[in-house]
Amino acid sequence: MIILRENEKIIKRAWQHWTALVPRILMWAVILGFLFAVRYSGDFDFYGEWRWVGFIASALAVIGMFWKIALWRASVVVLTNQRVYCGVRTGIFSKTVIELLYKDIKEVSYVREGIMASIFRYGDLHLMSAADATHVFERIPKPEYLVEIINKVR
């Protein structure tokens, strides 16, 4: 969550593209599919405890999917009229925040590689600071739009 400074206004918010969630959610679906395949392909019923195994595995899968969606939603790139803010949440107690003032941004660019990135129109936003450090924000939807906004504001 960004705390706005005096006279600061949000211009644009961007989250990672939804395709970043697909592998994470697909993993849980594969695990559940495997359990159901083991159960129903043969005579194995998890030693009579199939109901509990199925319930616990399904509950963990749902919790895991919602957890990944919550982490995805909590990670954001925000363009304001004074700075670029990027907050990436990786766990309950883990968050990385990068703030760059527009005057400290030396170079801004984006990279769109691959057919999936071209079809779904996402790419990596690259910001080089005055300290020659390059900050990469991955899988941002329509990064060319963010580059245009950053260039207009700075």
Side-chain angles (χ1 to χ4, degrees), residues 4-148:
L4 295 176
R5 299 174 182 166
E6 188 177 329
N7 299 324
E8 187 175 25
K9 295 177 184 156
I10 293 175
I11 298 171
K12 175 77 176 157
R13 287 184 185 171
W15 290 267
Q16 271 191 324
H17 198 269
W18 62 267
T19 56
L21 284 174
V22 172
R24 297 171 182 145
I25 291 177
L26 194 60
M27 176 195 69
W28 289 105
V30 168
I31 291 170
L32 278 179
F34 176 74
L35 283 175
F36 280 95
V38 166
R39 166 62 179 105
Y40 291 110
S41 67
D43 242 357
F44 189 65
D45 69 346
F46 294 93
Y47 305 105
E49 301 296 331
W50 166 244
R51 287 185 180 169
W52 286 108
V53 170
F55 174 75
I56 291 171
S58 298
L60 287 175
V62 169
I63 290 168
M65 285 187 236
F66 279 116
W67 175 248
K68 291 300 182 183
I69 291 170
L71 288 179
W72 170 75
R73 191 69 181 153
S75 300
V76 64
V77 175
V78 180
L79 304 181
T80 71
N81 59 343
Q82 296 179 10
R83 61 189 163 142
V84 176
Y85 169 92
C86 179
V88 178
R89 172 83 56 189
T90 56
I92 295 175
F93 304 110
S94 304
K95 184 173 185 176
T96 302
V97 175
I98 298 169
E99 291 186 19
L100 291 170
L101 297 173
Y102 287 113
K103 66 179 183 170
D104 295 333
I105 297 174
K106 204 163 106 175
E107 182 181 319
V108 60
S109 62
Y110 73 93
V111 175
R112 180 179 286 155
E113 291 181 343
I115 191 166
M116 295 301 285
S118 295
I119 291 171
F120 292 110
R121 298 185 66 201
Y122 64 82
D124 299 341
L125 180 66
H126 295 255
L127 299 176
M128 183 181 285
S129 66
D132 289 333
T134 301
H135 304 283
V136 179
F137 309 113
E138 297 177 341
R139 287 193 175 195
I140 302 296
K142 301 178 185 173
E144 65 276 4
Y145 181 60
L146 296 181
V147 169
E148 183 180 323

